[in-house]
Amino acid sequence: MNEAATVSVVIPAYNAAKLLGGAISSALTQTRTPDEVIVVDDGSTDATAAIAAAYPAPVRLISQANGGVADARNTAVREARGDFIVLLDADDQFLPNHLERCIATWQSMATSGQNERLIVTSNAYRLTRQGLTTSTILSSNFPPPALQRQKILETNFAGIFAFYPRHLHDEVGLFDATMRRGEDRDLWIRAIFSGWRIVPQREAHAVYRMAGTSLSADHERMAEAERQVLQQTRDRFADTLTATELAYLDLRLSSPAPRQLIHEANDLIRRDSWLDAADRLRQAAQMLPSDGRVRARAWLATHRWARPLLSIHLRMSDTRLRPVSE
């Protein structure tokens, strides 16, 4: 990345009037100012468009009929003039040196024997109803390149705070606009299976606002979106999947989603239904073989002496990570 390279921040926004100003301002107050900030108003019925229009250049507003977040991101990417794309959702924020750190991470990896087909995913603090937490979104056990094909099939280890060359989309396509959830993971899978690699910017230089709901119906929708992503992966890459990858995808597609099993296990733990909780956790661990935390929880749930520890941990997590109310 040379000094003349340009950067486009893309922000999809739908009825985001309460929060959009914070997102735009966080992009404009970077230590490395972006060359443009593209806000796509995705058919909002509130003041979203008016707020975006009130900002001068380099903010650009594009308005369209509602098509979902993937469609809005695609509109922004098509219109982007930058050499690099930076993703930001309307309810999240960058901390001041986010872009500077992403650029430094990309440059260091691209000049250390890696090719330039690199995606930087940045860490972020979680914002909950109780305020900004020290909990962050990226796992400390970020998978190395050799393990990323298998790991991305297990779970979306890449956060949504992404920085990458614009030509990624020329090679693997845009976000899947037919998807209302899971569209980012679908893109990362296509990239990884096409030879791209994801590298972490491990320090938290952004703020991720947790969703305002945690209903079981939402878990079910997320599980269905995950199933769609995995089915599309099996269909798209059928000729290049290894026997291990194919067997894993078949297991996942014939079983409940791990996130749903873990959600059910948590509810069972809250009701002291330990045998059923342990069974759900064992199933989840089978489908997430590289997730040591799930394996540990499954083991602890089978031992009476350890069960109070799991209950305490779950109560603390419920309190600490309760979503922000809109």
Side-chain angles (χ1 to χ4, degrees):
M1 180 179 180
N2 58 52
E3 293 183 1
T6 52
V7 175
S8 300
V9 176
V10 303
I11 306 177
Y14 174 70
N15 286 348
K18 293 181 180 179
L19 301 171
L20 178 60
I24 295 174
S25 295
S26 77
L28 294 176
T29 55
Q30 292 292 293
T31 54
R32 196 291 194 187
T33 306
D35 297 275
E36 62 180 355
V37 177
I38 304 175
V39 179
V40 177
D41 172 34
D42 192 38
S44 299
T45 57
D46 64 1
T48 292
I51 290 170
Y55 283 85
V59 177
R60 296 169 56 199
L61 169 65
I62 301 171
S63 294
Q64 66 177 33
N66 180 257
V69 65
D71 187 56
R73 285 201 190 109
N74 288 343
T75 296
V77 168
R78 291 189 192 99
E79 294 293 325
R81 302 164 185 154
D83 301 304
F84 288 81
I85 299 294
V86 187
L87 301 183
L88 176 62
D89 285 347
D91 54 352
D92 298 331
Q93 294 185 21
F94 294 154
L95 297 179
N97 53 354
H98 174 78
L99 284 184
E100 180 182 333
R101 294 301 304 154
C102 285
I103 291 170
T105 300
W106 193 92
Q107 287 179 321
S108 67
M109 297 301 294
T111 58
S112 63
Q114 304 275 347
N115 61 42
E116 296 188 353
R117 298 167 80 208
L118 297 168
I119 302 160
V120 174
T121 183
S122 183
N123 214 349
Y125 295 111
R126 288 186 173 96
L127 177 63
T128 74
R129 188 186 306 176
Q130 283 67 41
L132 193 62
T133 73
T134 57
S135 174
T136 53
I137 64 173
L138 292 187
S139 170
S140 58
N141 297 318
F142 199 89
L147 299 180
Q148 288 188 4
R149 279 178 64 114
Q150 177 60 35
K151 184 65 174 180
I152 197 64
L153 297 180
E154 292 182 28
T155 187
N156 185 11
F157 60 82
I160 195 56
F161 294 98
F163 173 96
Y164 56 88
R166 167 66 179 77
H167 65 80
L168 165 72
H169 293 291
D170 297 330
E171 182 175 338
V172 306
L174 295 167
F175 292 95
D176 187 339
T178 68
M179 303 182 69
R180 292 285 176 154
R181 298 167 184 264
E183 72 289 335
D184 54 330
R185 183 179 177 187
D186 175 72
L187 179 65
W188 309 145
I189 288 176
R190 282 185 275 138
I192 290 171
F193 274 67
S194 299
W196 288 70
R197 292 296 176 258
I198 302 178
V199 297
Q201 195 297 103
R202 296 184 182 277
E203 299 174 33
H205 290 301
V207 175
Y208 171 71
R209 181 181 293 265
M210 293 187 66
T213 62
S214 57
L215 300 176
S216 59
D218 192 62
H219 285 275
E220 292 170 4
R221 287 192 292 270
M222 289 298 293
E224 182 54 38
E226 183 176 54
R227 181 178 297 276
Q228 181 183 355
V229 168
L230 296 178
Q231 184 63 63
Q232 289 183 175
T233 299
R234 193 189 189 289
D235 295 342
R236 182 181 291 119
F237 295 102
D239 294 337
T240 60
L241 292 170
T242 67
T244 299
E245 291 166 347
L246 186 59
Y248 179 78
L249 283 169
D250 287 343
L251 171 65
R252 288 292 300 270
L253 291 168
S254 64
S255 307
R259 71 171 63 245
Q260 187 65 24
L261 290 167
I262 293 170
H263 175 67
E264 292 174 5
N266 288 341
D267 281 345
L268 290 164
I269 289 172
R270 295 182 186 103
R271 301 198 301 268
D272 289 329
S273 298
W274 286 100
L275 292 179
D276 288 337
D279 179 65
R280 301 295 197 284
L281 289 171
R282 280 194 297 269
Q283 292 181 61
Q286 182 183 11
M287 286 178 280
L288 300 174
S290 62
D291 193 325
R293 291 175 300 178
V294 176
R295 293 199 310 272
R297 290 188 68 204
W299 185 84
L300 290 170
T302 64
H303 294 78
R304 290 181 180 274
W305 61 268
R307 290 171 180 173
L309 298 177
L310 283 179
S311 293
I312 292 170
H313 181 270
L314 181 59
R315 287 197 298 269
M316 292 175 61
S317 179
D318 287 344
T319 299
R320 185 176 68 253
L321 298 181
R322 188 174 297 131
V324 174
S325 295
E326 296 294 342

